[in-house]
Amino acid sequence: MKLNIHNTFSEKLPADPNESNSRRQVFEAAFSYVNPTPTSKPEIVHVADEVADFLGFSEEDIKGKEFLELFSGAKVAANTRPYAMCYGGHQFGHWAGQLGDGRAINLMEIEHDRKRWALQLKGAGPTPYSRTADGLAVLRSSIREHLCSEAMHHLGVPTTRSLSLIKSGDKVARDMMYNGNVQYEDGAIVCRVAPSFIRFGNFQIFASREDNKTLSKLVDYTIESFFPDIKTGSPASIPSFFEAVAERTLKMIVEWQRVGFVHGVMNTDNLSILGLTIDYGPYGWLEGYDPDWTPNTTDNQNKRYRFGYQPRIALWNLIQLANALYPLSKEAKPFEAVLEKFQSNYKTEFLQMMGKKIGLEQITQQDATLIESLQIALQGTETDMTIFFRLLGDFKINTTIDSEGQFLEVVKSSFYKPEEVKEEVLESWITWFTRYQERLKSDKQSDEDRKTAMNQINPKYVLRNYMAQIAIEAAEKWDYSIVNELYELLKMPYSEQSSNSKWFAKRPEWARNKVGCSMLSCSS
Ligand code: AMP
Ligand code: MG
């Protein structure tokens, strides 16, 4: 296997001089060297062929002993020194101090086709940042991370990628719902891939310790490596960098809202500085369109990270990042300007995105009320977000909007309880579709062209929570075929794939309140 190793993070930033694998506070260092813990009987569950390909690994490589050894953590590649990153974070709104890669170990950075990628194992054993936990990950959460990373990429959402999913052969103790019911589960290791895994929290930790020297080194490294348009070396580069991060974060959030993705744990240590979706834990996909929904039972009380709050939480997190960067520039105004721009740009981008979802061509501020009333109508009765928008593409401009609701046939299968679509609910749809039809007429686009455009933005297939759960339950019985089936399905989420239409269906009733489907915890 050819590895074109080109480490930058560990070459350019200060290392922790302590090289023991003991849990501790680490100061004035961006990372600590630590080796993965070899596992007893590693076995490949799945490899994302596309990721392997852009990293330059051949089919032969993937089948080889070296691949299994490297990506299960059994062997460290020659001329590499794995390490865990030091970072802090605000968890659920409170500063939590040092967190760090407690179960992630960066193997190396490699270059292929003039692109540089960092490879990181998740679940390969403890690090100096493991605090009281074991450094491991279980098969169920690793399947969820592996499949969702790839599904998000193919949906067009910025994300970290996942090369491989390997069962460790070891058992891991987990109290899944935090109710004293500890079970032994299969352990697993995912190899994540991204240009960088730096998070907001990597900057926050140094700022919290007033270590401007290391903070400044990290900022310069990040700008020089990933924001080459910004010139380092002057205080003015700091707000420019912040602005670029805000723009990327905004783009990511708009995409989450477009596809109905709920991250579930938007702590500042889980926000990538590159605007990539990172740390797939108790995430979920909106099925019934409900802005107040969160899949994370650990957050059930306050629902801080509910679907509808994601934009404002992103802003809150950006404010924390601004606070962390401020000591390097000491001028508040430019940061405030970026934060204000984030809010106004979000409104504009959201409107454009929603306008496209309903097939509008020239979207203006005047369309905002049409979008708002749609969001309200969608909540009149439980309505499947993905199915509704996909089927809306079949709406014909000359449909008669009748008082009986015949016109709703086109989206009917998105309603969980069609019998509830009467009285006020029906009224709201009559009002909405009447306005919608009027509005479409002003665009003069043919039904066919509109549908084609809509089908490129409204996915047919997303990784519904119950689908991942089916794959998990099969994999726990050594059947990995559904993991692969879903991986292949979700490579083309916008294509009809009529032979796969069983996955274009509402969540089945058995999954409504099932652990793993609607209820997920941080235990993983
Ligand atoms: P998360 O909520 O998954 O983003 O994790 C928050 C922090 O806890 C990060 O520093 C993680 O690395 C760490 N962490 C989570 N699970 C484990 C685990 N099983 N072992 C060690 N550290 C963990
Ligand atoms: Mg995390």
Side-chain angles (χ1 to χ4, degrees):
M1 233 164 85
K2 202 180 150 309
L3 298 168
N4 187 9
I5 297 158
H6 192 102
N7 289 321
T8 62
F9 186 89
S10 55
E11 296 276 308
K12 294 190 178 162
L13 293 168
D16 174 8
N18 182 347
E19 294 183 10
S20 72
N21 193 354
S22 62
R23 293 153 200 235
R24 58 183 179 265
Q25 293 289 310
V26 173
F27 296 96
E28 295 174 8
F31 64 94
S32 307
Y33 287 115
V34 61
N35 280 343
T37 307
T39 66
S40 33
K41 206 169 169 286
E43 178 198 340
I44 291 186
V45 174
H46 192 260
V47 175
D49 50 8
E50 201 192 274
V51 180
D53 189 54
F54 73 66
L55 292 174
F57 301 141
S58 67
E59 271 179 51
E60 225 119 88
D61 289 337
I62 297 170
K63 291 188 196 121
K65 185 163 162 242
E66 200 186 350
F67 187 94
L68 181 64
E69 283 177 342
L70 272 185
F71 300 117
S72 67
K75 206 177 112 184
V76 171
N79 304 318
T80 66
R81 291 190 76 186
Y83 59 89
M85 289 183 183
C86 179
Y87 54 79
H90 279 89
Q91 296 186 313
F92 298 95
H94 304 283
W95 176 244
Q98 178 183 299
L99 297 165
D101 285 333
R103 56 168 165 178
I105 297 181
N106 298 271
L107 295 180
M108 63 188 107
E109 291 168 57
I110 60 173
E111 236 175 59
H112 184 67
D113 272 350
R114 299 226 213 112
K115 288 205 177 99
R116 204 171 64 230
W117 298 100
L119 308 185
Q120 178 184 81
L121 300 184
K122 181 169 176 180
T127 76
Y129 306 96
S130 297
R131 297 178 292 155
T132 56
D134 56 13
L136 304 175
V138 293
L139 181 63
R140 69 181 147 81
S141 63
S142 306
I143 289 176
R144 285 168 48 82
E145 168 133 17
H146 182 70
L147 286 179
C148 200
S149 310
E150 291 310 292
M152 291 281 270
H153 167 75
H154 293 292
L155 282 164
V157 186
T159 177
T160 60
R161 307 291 301 268
S162 180
L163 168 66
S164 53
L165 168 61
I166 293 177
K167 210 155 137 175
S168 67
D170 296 317
K171 291 287 177 191
V172 177
R174 286 289 181 269
D175 181 357
M176 187 159 55
M177 296 319 287
Y178 300 119
N179 58 6
N181 181 16
V182 176
Q183 305 238 329
Y184 284 90
E185 300 187 44
D186 292 324
I189 299 167
V190 156
C191 179
R192 307 200 276 202
V193 178
S196 168
F197 294 100
I198 299 174
R199 303 137 188 272
F200 286 15
N202 291 68
F203 301 88
Q204 287 185 285
I205 188 71
F206 302 127
S208 77
R209 292 165 170 172
E210 295 177 25
D211 176 4
N212 288 355
K213 200 171 137 205
T214 320
L215 175 64
S216 177
K217 283 185 188 159
L218 179 65
V219 169
D220 285 351
Y221 166 79
T222 309
I223 296 176
E224 282 159 15
S225 309
F226 308 107
F227 300 87
D229 296 344
I230 302 171
K231 252 183 122 64
T232 50
S234 83
S237 62
I238 308 299
S240 305
F241 167 52
F242 181 62
E243 181 170 16
V245 176
E247 280 168 11
R248 291 200 194 192
T249 306
L250 186 143
K251 170 141 180 33
M252 174 185 80
I253 301 286
V254 172
E255 299 295 1
W256 287 2
Q257 304 310 99
R258 172 173 68 84
V259 297
F261 175 79
V262 191
H263 183 285
V265 201
M266 287 178 72
N267 294 335
T268 56
D269 52 304
N270 289 339
L271 256 82
S272 143
I273 205 74
L274 302 184
L276 305 171
T277 312
I278 192 172
D279 274 13
Y280 291 89
Y283 69 81
W285 295 82
L286 271 199
E287 289 176 316
Y289 185 86
D290 175 7
D292 289 335
W293 185 73
T294 173
N296 184 358
T297 50
T298 318
D299 188 24
N300 223 353
Q301 284 281 306
N302 298 315
K303 297 193 178 169
R304 179 180 171 86
Y305 298 142
R306 66 185 81 172
F307 178 68
Y309 277 18
Q310 295 189 127
R312 73 179 76 168
I313 294 293
L315 175 68
W316 192 91
N317 287 347
L318 283 164
I319 294 170
Q320 309 317 312
L321 179 64
N323 286 336
L325 298 175
Y326 171 77
L328 300 184
S329 96
K330 297 209 175 71
E331 248 206 284
K333 281 243 149 40
F335 288 101
E336 285 164 8
V338 170
L339 293 166
E340 265 162 40
K341 202 166 139 198
F342 177 90
Q343 294 171 76
S344 57
N345 283 357
Y346 181 77
K347 280 196 189 122
T348 316
E349 295 287 316
F350 180 77
L351 177 64
Q352 289 295 319
M353 176 276 283
M354 288 299 286
K356 287 194 194 126
K357 272 183 91 64
I358 60 172
L360 306 186
E361 265 199 311
Q362 296 300 323
I363 302 148
T364 70
Q365 193 51 44
Q366 290 181 335
D367 295 315
T369 57
L370 184 66
I371 305 290
E372 279 157 27
S373 49
L374 171 62
Q375 288 174 282
I376 294 167
L378 282 168
Q379 295 170 67
T381 173
E382 198 176 8
T383 308
D384 192 277
M385 177 178 175
T386 305
I387 298 179
F388 178 86
F389 283 100
R390 184 76 181 187
L391 293 181
L392 189 63
D394 289 322
F395 179 73
K396 302 278 183 288
I397 205 156
N398 58 8
T399 304
T400 307
I401 309 296
D402 62 304
S403 59
E404 301 295 302
Q406 278 301 313
F407 70 93
L408 278 175
E409 276 304 309
V410 67
V411 293
K412 195 169 167 198
S413 64
S414 66
F415 299 129
Y416 279 81
K417 296 188 186 101
E419 67 280 7
E420 284 181 4
V421 185
K422 56 180 187 196
E423 294 156 16
E424 300 105 276
V425 181
L426 178 57
E427 276 308 313
S428 74
W429 283 124
I430 292 173
T431 313
W432 191 78
F433 270 93
T434 307
R435 280 183 67 189
Y436 179 51
Q437 191 175 45
E438 277 302 301
R439 176 60 184 81
L440 289 182
K441 282 178 185 158
S442 69
D443 267 347
K444 304 195 172 50
Q445 201 180 23
S446 72
D447 284 337
E448 215 179 350
D449 288 352
R450 188 175 62 254
K451 176 175 170 161
T452 306
M454 286 170 79
N455 280 0
Q456 285 166 24
I457 182 169
N458 295 321
K460 180 164 179 182
Y461 302 104
V462 295
L463 183 61
R464 291 168 183 272
N465 313 307
Y466 85 89
M467 290 162 63
Q469 187 60 24
I470 292 175
I472 289 165
E473 286 175 17
E476 283 171 346
K477 296 185 192 117
W478 308 92
D479 171 4
Y480 308 141
S481 62
I482 302 176
V483 171
N484 191 53
E485 181 181 341
L486 294 182
Y487 170 74
E488 293 295 336
L489 170 81
L490 296 166
K491 269 182 178 172
M492 290 189 295
Y494 300 98
S495 299
E496 283 303 325
Q497 300 191 54
S498 38
S499 59
N500 278 320
S501 57
K502 70 169 177 198
W503 299 116
F504 181 61
K506 283 170 295 209
R507 172 201 59 224
E509 269 316 294
W510 61 259
R512 181 180 285 275
N513 294 313
K514 188 176 155 81
V515 172
C517 297
S518 65
M519 287 195 281
L520 292 144
S521 76
C522 287
S523 164
S524 59

